Structures are given as C-alpha cells and as structure tokens.
Amino acid sequence: MSFILVRSFLCRENCPEWISAEGRITSDTPARLRKILKKIGGRKLPVVFRSEGGDVDAAYAMGRIIRKAGLETAVGGTRLKGCPVGDTRCEAAIAKDGASGGYTYSAGAYCLSACPLALAGGASRVSSQWAFIGVHQITTVYNKVRVSYRIEYKIVNGKKKEISRKEVGRKVAGQSSSTKLGKKATAALTAYLKEMGVSEDVIGLMMSATPDNINIVPAAEALRTGLITDMLSYNEWPGMPLCAPDAAAEAVCHGHPVAEAPVAAKAPVSQAPVQDAAADISERLPRTRPMDFLLMYNGNCQEECTQWISADGDITPDTPARLKAMLTTLGERKLPVVLQSNGGDMDAAFAMGRMIRAAGLETSIGRTQLPNCPKLDPRCIASIAKSGPTEGEVFAGRAYCLSTCTVVLTSGTPRIVGYSAIGLVRPTAAEYTKFFAYFDEMGVRAETYETMMLATSIEQRKILRSQALDLGIINGIIPYDEEPGYHLCGPDAKESLRCPRKAEAETVPAAASVN
C-alpha cells in the first residue's frame, strides 16, 4: 500500500484534501502511514481506502493510528489528474512536494479482507452503494524452522554443564496454515472491534466465507455492525469530510445538517412551523401544502408497470381520512407508500401509522415527479390523471421525511430508504407517553430514541441512516440500482423479467387520486 496526499481539482478555493491509500497491506504499511501523517502535521484529512487487504496485524496497527489521530475513513478510489484509465495514480502525476490534483470515485472501489479492519479506525467511516466492503476468514500462517546451535559444555563433578549456546544455522522446514481462530487471535480481534466501536457480529460475517472467497457486506449490514457510520449520498464522494453541526450550506462536506425554520418558543411539536428540507439547499421548495395521496405508475402498463402510493405534503388532522379513502379505493392491493413530508400533526401521524401497519404496507421516502411539471411544482395539477393511476417517476435523492413524518415511516413492513433525509421529532410533555407507546407498538427502540432526544435542545434534527437502522426507524436500505416504490407491478402488467409473476385479474380503480 502507498499513500498519496491529494487535493480536489474540481474546485478553485478551499479545495478538500485527502490521503489516498491504495494497495496491499503489508507489515511495513503502518510505518508508511505514520510517515505521511507526520508530513501533514496536525491536519485531520480523511483516509480513502482501495485495497484487497493483507496483513491483519498491520491493519490493526493502522486502525489504531487513524483513531488516535482522529481521522475519518472512506471506501473509494482516487484518479490523479492526467493519468490514463489503466493507471489512475500514475507516477508522473504524483507531486514531488505538496498535494497531487485528482478526484475520487465510488463505483467499483473496494475494501476487502483486512482492509475493513483498518477502515474501522475512522472516527467516522463512510462508503457508497457503488463500492464494496468484503470480509472473509483470517488465515494464520505457521512457518516451521530448523535451527542449529553450537553448544559448549564443561564437566563439573562428572556432570555435563552447558556454558554457551550460539545459533549457527537456520533452515525453513515447511509451512502450515489454519483458518481456525485460536484463543489468542479471537481475543485480539474481539478487543480490536470493541475498541473501534464495531459489533462482534462482524466475526460471524468473516467466518462465513473461506479465504478463497469473499463475503460482500450489504450496506444495511455494514451500517448495523458499525463497519461504516453512514452512506454517502448520490452527490457526495469519498474524501469529503463530515459536516460540522453548524456547517454552511455551501460547505464541501457530507451529511449536511437539515436547515431549520424558526420555531416559536414552547410551541407544541404538532403546531410548530415545519422545517425546510435541506437535501438540496441550492433549490427552494415550493410552499408546503396539506398531504395528498396519488396512485402512481411508471412504465408501460401493457408490458411492465410498477405502482406505488405517493404521499406528499404536510400532515394535518384530516390526513388520516384521506389515506383511508385511498386504501379503501385500492381494496386489498398492498402497494408501497412513498413519503415526502416536513411532518405536522402528531396525532394524525399516529393514526396514519396504525392504518399502514394494519394494512401490512411498505413505507419508504421518495420525491415524485410528474411529467411536464416544473421543478418547483413536481406534482402540478395539470399532470394528475382525472381517473386511474397517474404516470410519473420517483427518486430517493433529495427526498425527505422529517419530524412527525418519521412516525409514519416507522409503521412500514418493511420500511426502507435510499439517499434521503430522515429527521427526528421530540414530543412535548403532553405527547410523551403516547409517543413512546406508539414506538413500542411499531418495534422501534424508544429508550435509545429518548436518549438521543435528551441530548439535543432542538425540536427536529436529521439523523444518519446508520442511526435510523439502529433505532429501528428503518430496517433496510434500497439497493443502488432501484428507487422507492419501483418493485410492485400493476395488475395489468404482463409477465416479464421485471414483473415475474402473473398479475391477478383485477381492474385499476376508476378514481385513485385523493387530493
């Protein structure tokens, strides 16, 4: 493995820098890492890994060096400016002094074998759904060595007594290996994972794949076990530092905090003004409106057609009635409910959640775009079908579910998200008891949620997908090649690769838009 200091050439001022770490981890890799950290002084730059793994003890040492220095880690490859496709870190592009110009990428990048152990050293550690984290069994190699000595003796009282011993020869007499973790190796691995805040469940993931194979860890599992602390969004890249809580909108960092609207002092959550979504602060959202429900479809319904319920807008006291009308119209059909909302009335959110759980529906977060609608009014009335489903598309990127919308999200079976913003809400004293009773009903870890809420003074805040998984607010991540709501076929779709099961003979309701 070699280390290169790289600066992004895709900007002009305050350009981010990172340490590109690529190649096999060997016994001398920790020394190389110490050398580059000494070169950058006390600067806390992210370490971006692309490695097939290597020496486990060296990976432990690297992880501890990184954690002690308070650095962040990421999975990603680096391409230096001017290098060919087949040699992304060509010698000619490496700066003799200072940082080289370049950029990072996620697609196809990997951190395998012992590399995730070094990755775990990051104070924060991220990956994207286009990169791979893989583990397998640790192989311990035992070398048999025949050693020859020159020994001198003397006779004392008739007995031979050794007076010197000197090694005169050493010869390899064979080699053996084992994938069984002995007590010493198990203790070392367990202690290291605990030190880094990673679940011991990783050991099970490692032991499930032989050294000749690799167990690619799904994003949700990597988040759950703590191998990573968050997923990079569609517009974020490896090497971006984690945003500070007060990061400016234009700051080049990942995990931007949700921008908050002014909240009146001591106003109940259910009556407080909703906050603006900040997944893309370069665009201002249109003025909020009460939540409406649309039956949506995407694709050619005579061939392949997916359908979902788009729920978009503020939750008001009459929102549960609108949802009930939609579900009554659909009958027994179990379509995903795709949410985008700043939140709103708490009691209404409880009612919606219980309705969705009783119907056994899936929930997710997504923004729906209807054809021929302007960007600032993606659900324009002109494009809504007068009867039957409305054509459109749905995207996880820049979508949001904030405040009491999260209460509704928790009701899904399953509840999954992609690159969307999730926001918490803190109940008022009057709402406290029923709030946590509801969470217990939905299988969410209310105690952990309560601890998190007590640690902040704000009414609403964004959380990481890893935190949402840990709390039980969500229980899955949408694969990178899918969007929310794009996996259930409409009743008229023909059997195909996308729609593998023959749809039941049922007609699309004549009036499936509830506004």
Side-chain angles (χ1 to χ4, degrees):
M1 178 174 283
S2 63
F3 300 92
I4 302 174
L5 180 61
V6 187
R7 173 177 293 174
S8 173
F9 71 86
L10 302 178
C11 61
R12 293 184 178 181
E13 298 180 357
N14 300 319
C15 297
E17 293 186 12
W18 64 92
I19 299 169
S20 172
E22 298 196 14
R24 186 168 183 78
I25 298 171
T26 58
S27 58
D28 64 344
T29 303
R32 293 173 180 266
L33 176 58
R34 289 190 186 94
K35 185 176 180 180
I36 194 167
L37 295 186
K38 183 177 180 180
K39 177 181 178 180
I40 66 174
R43 299 169 62 201
K44 296 185 181 298
L45 302 182
V47 182
V48 181
F49 283 104
R50 180 174 177 268
S51 172
E52 66 273 27
D55 189 294
V56 171
D57 289 332
Y60 289 158
M62 292 172 66
R64 290 186 170 109
I65 292 169
I66 290 169
R67 181 61 61 87
K68 184 177 180 180
L71 307 184
E72 300 170 22
T73 56
V75 180
T78 296
R79 184 185 299 280
L80 299 184
K81 186 178 181 181
C83 287
V85 174
D87 187 9
T88 55
R89 304 199 315 163
C90 58
E91 191 71 28
I94 300 175
K96 303 303 178 185
D97 189 23
S100 306
Y103 65 90
T104 61
Y105 60 90
S106 287
Y110 51 85
C111 182
L112 309 175
S113 185
C115 177
L117 298 175
L119 179 76
S124 76
R125 37 203 184 270
V126 295
S127 181
S128 92
Q129 289 174 308
W130 291 277
F132 302 98
I133 297 175
V135 296
H136 61 187
Q137 294 172 345
I138 294 175
T139 300
T140 304
V141 178
Y142 301 94
N143 291 313
K144 296 179 181 178
V145 180
R146 187 184 302 277
V147 183
S148 301
Y149 297 95
R150 176 185 175 84
I151 305 174
E152 293 185 2
Y153 302 92
K154 69 177 181 178
I155 304 300
V156 180
N157 296 326
K159 294 182 179 181
K160 187 167 64 173
K161 182 179 181 180
E162 182 179 326
I163 59 174
S164 70
R165 178 184 291 258
K166 182 180 180 181
E167 184 180 323
V168 295
R170 185 175 288 259
K171 183 179 180 181
V172 176
Q175 192 178 75
S176 63
S177 63
S178 174
T179 57
K180 292 183 178 179
L181 280 177
K183 289 183 178 180
K184 187 176 179 181
T186 300
L189 177 57
T190 302
Y192 178 80
L193 294 176
K194 183 178 180 180
E195 181 183 344
M196 297 302 155
V198 178
S199 170
E200 291 183 20
D201 291 349
V202 168
I203 298 176
L205 295 175
M206 295 170 68
M207 298 306 292
S208 65
T210 65
D212 296 331
N213 294 293
I214 199 78
N215 186 359
I216 299 299
V217 184
E221 190 70 358
L223 285 166
R224 186 189 69 79
T225 58
L227 280 175
I228 58 175
T229 56
D230 195 21
M231 295 291 294
L232 292 172
S233 185
Y234 72 101
N235 59 350
E236 298 169 345
W237 39 267
M240 273 186 169
L242 178 65
C243 292
D246 58 349
E250 63 274 10
V252 182
C253 54
H254 72 84
H256 271 279
V258 171
E260 294 177 51
V263 179
K266 299 183 180 179
V269 173
S270 59
Q271 299 174 9
V274 294
Q275 69 186 75
D276 293 330
D280 186 355
I281 32 103
S282 63
E283 295 180 7
R284 296 191 62 185
L285 291 169
R287 181 173 296 178
T288 57
R289 60 177 181 272
M291 180 174 282
D292 61 2
F293 298 90
L294 296 177
L295 173 61
M296 302 297 305
Y297 79 90
N298 179 268
N300 181 352
C301 281
Q302 299 306 312
E303 299 293 340
E304 296 179 335
C305 171
T306 54
Q307 293 188 341
W308 68 97
I309 301 168
S310 173
D312 194 296
D314 295 339
I315 299 171
T316 60
D318 63 346
T319 304
R322 293 173 181 266
L323 174 60
K324 184 176 182 180
M326 166 62 80
L327 298 183
T328 300
T329 302
L330 294 176
E332 297 299 319
R333 296 186 58 203
K334 296 183 182 295
L335 295 182
V337 179
V338 182
L339 298 157
Q340 174 160 273
S341 173
N342 285 312
D345 187 271
M346 180 77 79
D347 288 329
F350 291 152
M352 291 174 65
R354 291 187 170 103
M355 208 178 295
I356 290 171
R357 177 59 63 89
L361 306 184
E362 170 190 307
T363 56
S364 60
I365 306 173
R367 55 186 178 88
T368 297
Q369 178 73 49
L370 274 57
N372 304 316
C373 286
K375 186 173 289 187
L376 293 181
D377 188 13
R379 291 160 69 91
C380 58
I381 295 176
S383 292
I384 297 176
K386 303 301 180 184
S387 63
T390 296
E391 181 182 6
E393 296 179 280
V394 65
F395 307 96
R398 292 185 287 130
Y400 52 91
C401 182
L402 310 174
S403 183
T404 55
C405 176
T406 307
V407 171
V408 181
L409 179 68
T410 61
S411 66
T413 53
R415 39 197 183 272
I416 54 178
V417 300
Y419 294 137
S420 306
I422 307 173
L424 295 179
V425 58
R426 185 167 60 181
T428 63
E431 297 166 328
Y432 193 91
T433 302
K434 55 184 177 182
F435 183 87
F436 287 108
Y438 172 87
F439 266 32
D440 184 62
E441 182 181 337
M442 297 300 160
V444 178
R445 294 174 58 187
E447 182 178 346
T448 308
Y449 188 104
E450 181 180 13
T451 301
M452 186 179 293
M453 282 292 90
L454 291 175
T456 178
S457 61
I458 59 176
E459 295 296 334
Q460 306 172 88
R461 71 174 230 182
K462 180 183 175 183
I463 61 171
L464 304 176
R465 283 177 287 275
S466 57
Q467 293 172 310
L469 275 167
D470 184 56
L471 295 173
I473 290 173
I474 61 173
N475 56 18
I477 302 291
I478 298 173
Y480 75 91
D481 56 348
E482 294 183 16
E483 295 290 356
Y486 269 11
H487 55 275
L488 290 184
C489 294
D492 296 329
K494 293 182 178 179
E495 187 172 4
S496 66
L497 290 176
R498 191 175 183 183
C499 302
R501 297 179 181 176
K502 200 70 177 178
E504 295 179 5
E506 58 177 323
T507 58
V508 177
S513 297
V514 182
N515 300 308

